[in-house]
Amino acid sequence: MGTLGSQSPLSFSSSLCNAKVSCGLLVYNVKIKSNRRLEVVCQGMLAPRKFVRKKREEVFKDAADEAKQKNWRKMMSEIEESGSAVSILKTQRNTKEPLPRDAVLGTLVRFKQLKRWNLVSEILQWLRTQHWWDFSEMDFLMLVTAYGKLGDFSKAERVLKYMNKKGYRQTVISQTALMEAYGRAKQYEKAEAVFHKMQASGPEPSPITYQIILKSLVEGDKYKEAEAIFEDLLNEKRASFKPDQKMFHMMIYMYKKAGDYTQARKLFAQMPERGIPQSAVTFNSLMSFEADYKEVSSIYDQMQRAGLKPDVVSYSLLIKAYGKARREDEALAVFEEMLDAGVRPTRKSYNILLDAFAISGLVEEAQTVFKTMRRHRVEPDLCSYTTMLLAYVNASDMDGAEKFFRRLKEDGLRPNVVVYGTLMKGYSKLDDVDKVMRVYERMRVQGVEPNQTIFTTIMDVHGRNSDFGNAVIWFNEMETRGYPPDKKAKNILLSLAKTPEEQQEANELTGNGAIQLEVKPNGMISGLGVDSADLHEGGLTDTGHHHSLNGASTTNVLNGSNGTGSSSFDDEDNEDDDDDDDYEEDDDDNLNFVSFKDKRELNFAT
C-alpha cells in the first residue's frame, strides 16, 4: 500500500454497506443481513499468493570450498533436526584430526545469530573439555552471555568466578550477561544491584546494558526504578549517550503495561523532538493500546502518512481490532491487503483472523481460514484448533463442535483445559447441565486439571437451572482447589439464593453483606458489575483481553502469546525463540539451510 492521505481505504465502515467490497485485487460479494450486519460470502477468499524469496547467488572459491560449505550446511541441518549439537560435532571429527576452527566458529556464530543459546552453551561446554581447542577469554564471554540469555545465573556466576581466578578482568560484556541472567530468572533486585555497581565502580554500562536493565525492571513491574534510570539518561546525568529507539520503545511499553496511556503517547511525541526515529514498531506499540478499531485505524493511517510500511504486526493489530468489534468483513479486507502487499502472514496472524470469524460464529468463513493455513504452509496449532472449535460453539452447533473435537485428537493434539472449557461453555449456553458435567468428567479422566473458569462455568449452568444446592457445592470446590471465586461466581450464588436461609448462606460464602441484585428477564444478573452472560459472548479466544481458561488473566496477545486465544497456548509450541534479544546481529535470512521456527512477531514491544 502506498502512503495514504487523511483516510485509509482500510478505515472504511459505512462504505461496506454497498453490494460489493473491493479488497486489493479481489472482489467479494457481500450479503446484507436483516439486522444490517454484514455476512462475508467470499468467492475465492484468501486465494493463494506466491511469496517470492530472493536467493543469494553463491560463489565458491573452488570445488573443495563448495564441498566444505555444503558439508557444513548439512551438519547444521542435522543439529537443528536432532536438537543436540555435540553428538553431531563428534561424528564430524576424525579420530586423529580436530574439527576445523573456522567450522566450529561458524557454527557458534550462526547459532548465536539464530538466538539458539542452548546450543551455543552446549558447544562451548564441550569445547572446554577438548584438549585440541584453546578456550580463550572470548569463549568464556560468549559462554557467560549464553547463560545470561538462558537466565541461568548459577552457571553464569560459576563461569565469572573461574574467570576471576584465572586473572581475567571484569568487562561490560560479562557484567551485562550476569545482570541479564538475574533479570531473566526474575531476580530483579540482584539485576538492579549489578547495574548500580557498574555505574558506581565500573565497567561503565553500555547502551545494551541500559536496554536490558530497563527490560528487566519493566518485566518485574519496577516502574519507578525504570523511569528513574531513563530520566537520568534523558538528562545525561549518568552516561555519555542518550536513550536510543529501543529504550523509548521499552518505556512506551512500560507505560502501556502500567495503564498510563497518556504518558506513553507523550513519550511517543518526544521521539521526533529528540531526533529518535520512529519505526513501524513504535506505531505498533500505540496501536496495541487501543481497544476501539477507529483509534487503531487512525494510528495505522498516521504510520502510513509518515512513510512507513506496515509489517505483519501492524496488519495483525488492525485485524484484531476489527475482529474484536465484530467487523469480520473489514478484518478479512485487511488480511487480503496484507497478502497483496507481499507480507507473509504468521500463524498468529491467521489465528487472529480465525478468531474474528469465530467470535461471530461464522463457521464457513472460519473453516476457509483454517484450511488456508495449511495451503500457505502454516501449520495450525492448538490455539487454531480451539478457535475453530469456538466458531462451532458460538454458532450453537454442538454436533459440529464434538466432531471437530474428535478431529483435534485424531490430528495428534492433546486437548487442554481451554479446549474442554470451550465445549463446556457451548453446552452451558444451551442450559444442558448433563452434557456440561459429562465434558467435565471426560476432562478429569484425561488428567486435565480444572481451573477457576471451569468451576465458574459449572456454577453458571447450575444457576441457569436454579440449582442453589449444586452451585454452593461447586463454589466450595473452587475454594478448596485454591481458586478464589471471582465476581461472576459470587453473582451467580447470590442470585440463586431465594429463601432467607439461602441468602444468609450465600452472603457468608461470598463475604458480602446484603447486596441487591437485579435479575433481568433474559436471565442476566447485575449487581456486582459483571454480567452472567459475558462468558458466552464469544470472548473465550478474544485475542487477548479476556480471562482465559488457563486460570490467569491473559495479557495482550502482542506480548508473546501464540495466538488469539488464551495465554496457555503460548507454551504449546515449546518455542525457544528469544525475541527479546534483538540487541544482537540480525538473522541472515539468506542462509536458508536451517529450518526456522515461527518467530513471535507480535512480541513487538521488546
Side-chain angles (χ1 to χ4, degrees):
M1 292 174 57
T3 304
L4 303 179
S6 60
Q7 184 75 1
S8 165
L10 299 178
S11 305
F12 51 82
S13 56
S14 59
S15 61
L16 284 171
C17 292
N18 298 326
K20 292 189 177 181
V21 176
S22 178
C23 186
L25 301 177
L26 303 176
V27 176
Y28 305 97
N29 295 326
V30 179
K31 179 172 65 180
I32 306 295
K33 288 184 178 180
S34 58
N35 60 359
R36 307 303 297 170
R37 292 284 296 159
L38 296 177
E39 179 182 357
V40 181
V41 182
C42 297
Q43 312 265 342
M45 169 180 167
L46 302 178
R49 270 75 159 181
K50 288 185 178 180
F51 297 99
V52 179
R53 185 173 186 171
K54 294 181 180 179
K55 289 188 177 181
R56 183 177 63 180
E57 185 178 349
E58 298 182 83
V59 179
F60 302 104
K61 296 178 182 178
D62 49 35
D65 180 58
E66 182 178 1
K68 181 181 177 181
Q69 289 291 331
K70 289 183 177 179
N71 182 61
W72 180 75
R73 296 187 180 199
K74 179 182 177 183
M75 180 188 71
M76 293 290 287
S77 297
E78 291 175 352
I79 292 174
E80 188 75 15
E81 291 172 4
S82 67
S84 175
V86 172
S87 59
I88 305 299
L89 290 173
K90 285 180 178 179
T91 62
Q92 294 287 319
R93 186 191 172 198
N94 296 325
T95 54
K96 296 181 179 179
E97 297 293 330
L99 285 171
R101 183 175 179 82
D102 57 347
V104 175
L105 290 176
T107 303
L108 284 170
V109 170
R110 184 56 184 157
F111 283 130
K112 176 176 177 286
Q113 291 173 342
L114 294 174
K115 300 167 186 176
R116 299 296 300 276
W117 296 105
N118 57 325
L119 294 176
V120 172
S121 63
E122 179 190 353
I123 294 171
L124 289 170
Q125 289 169 14
W126 177 64
L127 289 175
R128 286 186 70 181
T129 66
Q130 302 302 300
H131 62 85
W132 50 270
W133 184 268
D134 181 19
F135 208 85
S136 66
E137 181 182 9
M138 293 305 297
D139 295 324
F140 278 114
L141 290 175
M142 184 177 284
L143 181 58
V144 74
T145 298
Y147 289 142
K149 299 295 183 184
L150 294 170
D152 195 338
F153 63 87
S154 298
K155 290 183 179 179
E157 289 172 340
R158 286 201 295 270
V159 172
L160 289 177
K161 185 177 180 180
Y162 182 81
M163 291 179 68
N164 290 335
K165 183 179 178 180
K166 290 294 183 179
Y168 295 116
R169 61 185 179 84
Q170 293 183 352
T171 65
V172 65
I173 296 175
S174 62
Q175 294 305 298
T176 299
L178 179 62
M179 181 190 73
E180 183 170 18
Y182 285 133
R184 288 182 176 270
K186 303 186 186 302
Q187 302 285 324
Y188 303 116
E189 289 76 12
K190 290 184 178 179
E192 192 177 3
V194 172
F195 175 77
H196 289 308
K197 183 180 178 182
M198 292 174 69
Q199 284 185 313
S201 57
E204 183 179 350
S206 68
I208 292 178
T209 310
Y210 276 92
Q211 291 169 5
I212 292 174
I213 189 60
L214 287 175
K215 175 180 179 295
S216 297
L217 293 175
V218 171
E219 285 184 346
D221 298 335
K222 299 173 76 66
Y223 302 145
K224 290 184 179 179
E225 292 83 350
E227 193 172 41
I229 291 173
F230 187 76
E231 288 295 331
D232 283 348
L233 273 179
L234 283 176
N235 299 326
E236 299 182 5
K237 290 183 178 180
R238 290 278 190 172
S240 57
F241 50 83
K242 296 180 180 180
D244 58 18
Q245 186 187 71
K246 289 183 179 179
M247 297 181 202
F248 268 91
H249 288 168
M250 179 53 62
M251 295 305 294
I252 290 173
Y253 168 66
M254 184 196 79
Y255 287 122
K256 175 222 168 178
K257 185 180 176 184
D260 191 348
Y261 298 162
T262 301
Q263 190 63 29
R265 294 187 184 95
K266 181 179 178 182
L267 202 58
F268 172 84
Q270 286 183 15
M271 293 180 70
E273 298 172 2
R274 294 181 176 272
I276 305 297
Q278 294 175 332
S279 66
V281 174
T282 317
F283 285 92
N284 292 345
S285 301
L286 284 187
M287 289 168 68
S288 72
F289 299 166
E290 304 294 344
D292 188 341
Y293 72 92
K294 294 180 181 179
E295 293 296 329
V296 176
S297 180
S298 174
I299 297 170
Y300 180 89
D301 293 341
Q302 184 182 352
M303 174 176 63
Q304 291 194 312
R305 289 196 300 271
L308 298 171
K309 290 184 178 180
D311 59 15
V312 66
V313 181
S314 314
Y315 286 114
S316 298
L317 284 164
L318 191 55
I319 294 167
K320 172 194 168 189
Y322 282 131
K324 286 174 67 68
R326 298 180 182 246
R327 304 182 74 89
E328 59 280 345
D329 35 22
E330 287 100 322
L332 175 62
V334 177
F335 196 92
E336 293 281 2
E337 183 67 28
M338 176 173 64
L339 295 178
D340 290 338
V343 177
R344 183 185 292 273
T346 62
R347 182 168 54 201
K348 200 168 296 183
S349 307
Y350 278 106
N351 285 345
I352 290 174
L353 180 62
L354 187 62
D355 188 64
F357 292 123
I359 289 173
S360 299
L362 299 175
V363 175
E364 290 184 10
E365 287 81 355
Q367 286 175 332
T368 301
V369 177
F370 191 84
K371 292 175 182 177
T372 303
M373 293 178 73
R374 283 201 171 95
R375 194 171 69 215
H376 288 173
R377 298 181 181 180
V378 178
E379 190 67 23
D381 61 359
L382 186 59
C383 176
S384 314
Y385 279 84
T386 309
T387 309
M388 188 65 232
L389 186 68
L390 179 67
Y392 287 103
V393 167
N394 284 341
S396 298
D397 181 4
M398 293 311 296
D399 289 338
E402 287 286 0
K403 183 178 179 181
F404 193 80
F405 178 82
R406 290 192 294 272
R407 176 183 170 183
L408 182 153
K409 294 193 292 183
E410 290 168 358
D411 288 350
L413 296 174
R414 184 175 182 271
N416 63 6
V417 67
V418 185
V419 177
Y420 284 108
T422 305
L423 278 179
M424 291 174 65
K425 286 183 181 297
Y427 287 121
S428 178
K429 287 174 66 176
L430 301 177
D431 298 339
D432 195 329
V433 178
D434 291 339
K435 288 190 176 179
V436 168
M437 298 312 301
R438 285 180 194 173
V439 175
Y440 176 79
E441 292 301 327
R442 284 157 57 187
M443 181 183 75
R444 300 298 291 122
V445 167
Q446 294 299 319
V448 178
E449 289 294 323
N451 60 22
Q452 184 185 57
T453 311
I454 292 292
F455 291 122
T456 304
T457 302
I458 294 174
M459 283 191 63
D460 192 23
V461 72
H462 284 299
R464 290 171 182 266
N465 288 270
S466 302
D467 190 342
F468 179 78
N470 270 312
V472 169
I473 291 172
W474 288 104
F475 188 92
N476 290 328
E477 179 71 9
M478 187 186 304
E479 289 190 317
T480 302
R481 295 274 185 157
Y483 297 108
D486 55 14
K487 289 183 178 180
K488 180 175 293 295
K490 294 178 180 179
N491 256 357
I492 293 168
L493 194 64
L494 290 167
S495 68
L496 291 175
K498 305 301 181 186
T499 68
E501 292 79 10
E502 289 177 346
Q503 291 172 357
Q504 181 179 353
E505 183 179 4
N507 286 327
E508 290 175 354
L509 288 171
T510 58
N512 290 290
I515 298 180
Q516 295 297 323
L517 293 174
E518 176 188 354
V519 181
K520 300 178 182 178
N522 60 2
M524 297 181 181
I525 310 159
S526 62
L528 287 176
V530 179
D531 198 320
S532 68
D534 63 13
L535 275 180
H536 310 289
E537 286 297 319
L540 178 62
T541 57
D542 192 13
T543 324
H545 296 290
H546 60 284
H547 286 287
S548 66
L549 282 164
N550 67 352
S553 179
T554 307
T555 58
N556 191 293
V557 70
L558 302 166
N559 291 335
S561 38
N562 189 24
T564 59
S566 133
S567 61
S568 67
F569 296 134
D570 292 5
D571 297 325
E572 291 296 332
D573 296 318
N574 294 321
E575 291 181 350
D576 296 322
D577 300 312
D578 252 344
D579 295 297
D580 302 332
D581 305 325
D582 53 358
Y583 312 115
E584 304 295 338
E585 298 96 332
D586 293 333
D587 293 346
D588 185 358
D589 291 333
N590 294 315
L591 295 177
N592 56 6
F593 55 88
V594 177
S595 61
F596 291 88
K597 288 187 177 180
D598 288 333
K599 287 290 182 182
R600 295 180 180 178
E601 288 89 349
L602 298 189
N603 193 8
F604 64 89
T606 55

